[in-house]
Amino acid sequence: MLLGGLRYLLPVIKAAHEQGYYVITADYIPTNIAHQYSDEYCNVSVVDKDAVLKAAQKLQIDGIMSFACDPGVVAASYVQNKMGLPSFGPFESIEILQNKDKFRSFLQRNGFNVPLSKGFDSVDAAMEETYWYPWPVIVKPTDAAGSKGVTRVDRVEDLRPALEHAMNYSISGHIIVEEFIVKEGCSSDSDSISIDGKLAFVSFNAQRFDENASNPFTPAAYTWPSTFTKEQEDYLTSEIQRLITLLGLKTVVYNIETRIGVNGKPYIMELTPRGGGNRLCEMLHYATGIDLITAITRASVGDSVINIGQKPYQGHWAEIILHADINGVFDHIEIDKNLPAIIIEKDIWVKKGDQVESFDGANNAIGTLVLKFEEENDMIKAISCQRDWLKVIVK
């Protein structure tokens, strides 16, 4: 059973079918695209863990996963543990990872580098504690993904609207106020895998943003390799492994966000037990040949995981998250023919005449470009002046 129904599930369904598995997709939106490719659809809310459990028991499933679907991760873990299926690890550990407030508290208790933060269950409660906030701060829901509801706030006068915005995106009605860590270089948001609790493949990339987007905190591109030094990557790898061990996690694909502060400290900002929503596993398959999707699909039903190991990137890779600058009607995309890259894949999710929205969150993406560069300088230049060679025409 795969929780969710968005297009990020399509390669997972394909991998499952290649292994001979029968695939059931589940959410409460029958028109979602993934249901067109699965063998069966189950109408259930992925945030209602007891309802998902009841459906899973009735369907007698052999495994369950919420891939690139953050709201379903807790329910998937709950069903795994209740039914004795192959699991990510203890349900309590997954609850910690999926709640930003609990996660920050766990990191602090166990001696990890962690930004100052506190969670609140009301806007008024958060407004009462402005005396300790280390301006600037980041305000966000504790349980939302895709950068939805996230705002940087530099002064107290702008705080309440940001808190209300975050609360609107929180599933549980909880928000968090967190120290804004000014980063050195680019942050990393990439996927990795542990097998039986041991990191078997770890990756870091350069997460890049569009400062002109409606939400400048929504990732707009990724490049591999990262901007970290080898020493920084080694330290973060060690800390990620320590976190996995402390939480008793098993065979899991993780989406991991890390950054290096200008204070010199490396931080684990997020570690969620699911594949990333921006096709990160697919990008890593292109760049290294490592197939994390097939690996976790097999693991989710208890089959052995093979052909996973650390491999270097073959060249310089970029994924562009295509998006519109304004609300309007999509017309077409223009790419300068002189771009010094091989276009490995152009995947556009909308057609001419479709209504599109400005880039306020990952759900507003309209497609992806996969590019391979021979020279790192060419890649960096192309990413930094993206509007010179790429135009999304909206009328």
Side-chain angles (χ1 to χ4, degrees):
M1 177 179 276
L2 297 175
L3 299 184
L6 299 181
R7 65 179 59 252
Y8 300 122
L9 276 185
L10 300 188
V12 185
I13 295 170
K14 181 175 182 288
H17 282 157
E18 288 173 349
Q19 306 306 307
Y21 304 152
Y22 183 89
V23 179
I24 302 166
T25 50
D27 67 9
Y28 68 96
I29 305 176
T31 55
N32 272 338
I33 188 171
H35 309 317
Q36 300 173 26
Y37 295 85
S38 63
D39 300 296
E40 185 175 343
Y41 168 65
C42 175
N43 193 313
V44 64
S45 170
V46 301
V47 300
D48 187 340
K49 65 183 188 296
D50 288 305
V52 175
L53 174 61
K54 184 177 179 180
Q57 290 170 330
K58 181 179 179 181
L59 291 164
Q60 298 181 318
I61 66 169
D62 299 299
I64 184 169
M65 177 170 54
S66 188
F67 186 95
C69 175
D70 208 60
V73 171
V74 169
S77 175
Y78 183 72
V79 171
Q80 289 170 351
N81 282 274
K82 286 290 186 180
M83 292 182 65
L85 301 175
S87 74
F88 307 139
F91 176 65
E92 295 76 15
S93 294
I94 304 307
E95 284 191 306
I96 290 170
L97 293 175
Q98 289 304 110
N99 181 289
K100 292 177 175 64
D101 189 19
K102 290 181 179 179
F103 182 55
R104 292 286 183 267
S105 296
F106 183 87
L107 292 177
Q108 188 173 36
R109 288 197 308 272
N110 287 280
F112 291 87
N113 295 330
V114 60
L116 294 172
S117 65
K118 186 173 180 180
F120 301 94
D121 60 8
S122 75
V123 170
D124 288 341
M127 288 297 299
E128 289 173 1
E129 296 207 20
T130 57
Y131 62 88
W132 68 265
Y133 295 166
W135 307 98
V137 296
I138 284 285
V139 176
K140 51 190 172 183
T142 62
D143 52 5
S147 303
K148 293 186 286 292
V150 178
T151 308
R152 170 178 163 159
V153 183
D154 291 272
R155 55 183 192 158
V156 69
E157 292 85 354
D158 299 325
L159 184 60
R160 183 175 287 275
L163 294 167
E164 292 172 345
H165 181 58
M167 189 65 79
N168 286 338
Y169 283 96
S170 175
I171 297 169
S172 63
H174 287 77
I175 53 180
I176 188 170
V177 178
E178 179 178 286
E179 175 187 8
F180 181 80
I181 300 297
V182 179
K183 62 182 184 289
E184 174 189 284
C186 293
S187 53
S188 170
D189 178 13
S190 197
D191 288 355
S192 303
I193 189 172
S194 64
I195 298 176
D196 296 328
K198 302 295 183 184
L199 275 174
F201 174 84
V202 62
S203 71
F204 300 94
N205 65 15
Q207 183 186 47
R208 300 176 185 272
F209 301 87
D210 180 355
E211 62 183 19
N212 297 310
S214 301
N215 182 351
F217 299 105
T218 302
Y222 303 87
T223 59
W224 289 260
S226 74
T227 60
F228 299 165
T229 66
K230 182 181 184 303
E231 291 74 20
Q232 290 167 339
E233 289 191 353
D234 288 347
Y235 176 87
L236 284 165
T237 298
S238 175
E239 287 290 85
I240 291 166
Q241 179 62 72
R242 183 163 75 93
L243 179 59
I244 289 169
T245 301
L246 285 169
L247 291 170
L249 302 174
K250 300 177 183 176
T251 300
V252 190
V253 162
Y254 308 93
N255 178 239
I256 307 174
E257 183 178 339
T258 53
R259 67 177 53 186
I260 310 299
V262 292
N263 57 12
K265 294 182 179 180
Y267 295 84
I268 302 172
M269 303 301 294
E270 307 282 349
L271 186 145
T272 56
R274 59 168 177 83
N278 276 324
R279 304 186 62 200
L280 299 177
C281 280
E282 294 170 77
M283 285 300 304
L284 290 166
H285 196 184
Y286 277 126
T288 69
I290 295 296
D291 187 354
L292 298 181
I293 290 176
T294 295
I296 197 58
T297 302
R298 289 179 59 85
S300 70
V301 295
D303 285 345
S304 60
V305 175
I306 56 175
N307 299 324
I308 297 296
Q310 199 66 40
K311 287 189 177 180
Y313 306 119
Q314 302 300 316
H316 302 278
W317 293 81
E319 180 190 19
I320 310 299
I321 309 302
L322 298 171
H323 60 274
D325 289 332
I326 58 173
N327 296 339
V329 176
F330 175 75
D331 193 77
H332 67 284
I333 288 174
E334 296 176 0
I335 301 174
D336 192 319
K337 63 181 180 181
N338 294 317
L339 176 69
I342 301 170
I343 300 176
I344 302 296
E345 185 182 326
K346 179 169 67 174
D347 186 18
I348 300 175
W349 307 336
V350 294
K351 60 183 184 298
K352 184 174 182 176
D354 283 351
Q355 191 74 31
V356 295
E357 297 178 346
S358 64
F359 200 43
D360 190 50
N363 56 308
N364 299 127
I366 62 172
T368 57
L369 280 180
V370 177
L371 305 174
K372 183 179 181 182
F373 294 82
E374 291 302 319
E375 301 293 334
E376 183 178 16
N377 287 340
D378 287 339
M379 180 178 71
I380 293 172
K381 182 179 178 181
I383 293 297
S384 63
C385 59
Q386 186 173 305
R387 281 176 169 75
D388 291 347
W389 58 268
L390 173 64
K391 302 197 183 304
V392 178
I393 309 301
V394 174
K395 298 181 176 179

